[in-house]
Structures are given as C-alpha cells and as structure tokens.
Amino acid sequence: MDAATWSPIHSREWYAARDAVAGLRDVLIAAGLDSEFPYLRADLNAFGMGLIELGRISPHTAERLAELIRTGLNCAQEHENSSGPGGRTP
C-alpha cells in the first residue's frame, strides 16, 4: 500500500488503540463506570501514533478510578510478596 492509498483505519497502530479501548471498556463496565466515560475512544494523531482518549470525567469518577488502580496495585504487591524466588509460592 502506498501513501496515496494509506488509511489510518487499516494501520497496526489503529487496531492496537482500538483493542486497548475495548479492554479498558470491558473493565470500566465490570467496575460500573461505563457511563462515566462517555468520550472514551481510540484515535490516531497526525503522526499515526495510536492514542486513547478518556475525555473529561467528574472528580468523583477520578476518585473511583484512583481507588481501582490502588486496589489493583495492592493486589499485585501482595501477590508478589506471597511468591517466593522465581515467582513460586513458598
């Protein structure tokens, strides 16, 4: 495909951005936050780099999102601490 027929929707970067949005969307739905991100979308910038736009969110939604991230980080840390050398449970 040459530059004259290039379409951003057929680029690897577009599909990566779209897949990332789908994964994030699924997590937001599971957390009950799907209606809090009405502007969530995949996009490409002028250089063809994939981007994810979250849009504006309320302070309450930001607090809920921060708490979800904190909980995930704490779970990961607890899992790492409970694993012995090489990631094996002692």
Side-chain angles (χ1 to χ4, degrees), residues 13-14 17-18 21 41-45 49-53:
E13 292 81 3
W14 165 250
R18 188 187 67 171
V21 163
R41 68 186 184 111
D43 202 354
L44 293 177
N45 68 8
M49 295 171 50
L51 300 170
I52 309 307
E53 184 167 343

Side-chain angles (χ1 to χ4, degrees), residues 21-34 65 68:
V21 163
L24 182 55
R25 178 203 61 214
D26 293 346
V27 171
L28 291 172
I29 290 170
L33 291 171
D34 48 311
L65 184 58
L68 283 172

Side-chain angles (χ1 to χ4, degrees), residues 9-86:
I9 295 180
H10 299 294
S11 70
R12 183 172 27 102
E13 292 81 3
W14 165 250
Y15 285 106
R18 188 187 67 171
D19 291 345
V21 163
L24 182 55
R25 178 203 61 214
D26 293 346
V27 171
L28 291 172
I29 290 170
L33 291 171
D34 48 311
S35 64
E36 304 297 324
F37 290 85
Y39 301 105
L40 178 65
R41 68 186 184 111
D43 202 354
L44 293 177
N45 68 8
F47 302 102
M49 295 171 50
L51 300 170
I52 309 307
E53 184 167 343
L54 300 176
R56 293 181 177 187
I57 58 173
S58 71
H60 177 71
T61 300
E63 290 170 358
R64 290 179 62 196
L65 184 58
E67 184 58 32
L68 283 172
I69 293 169
R70 255 192 303 282
T71 300
L73 291 171
N74 287 339
C75 288
Q77 184 64 42
E78 289 173 10
H79 177 72
E80 186 177 299
N81 290 341
S82 69
S83 297

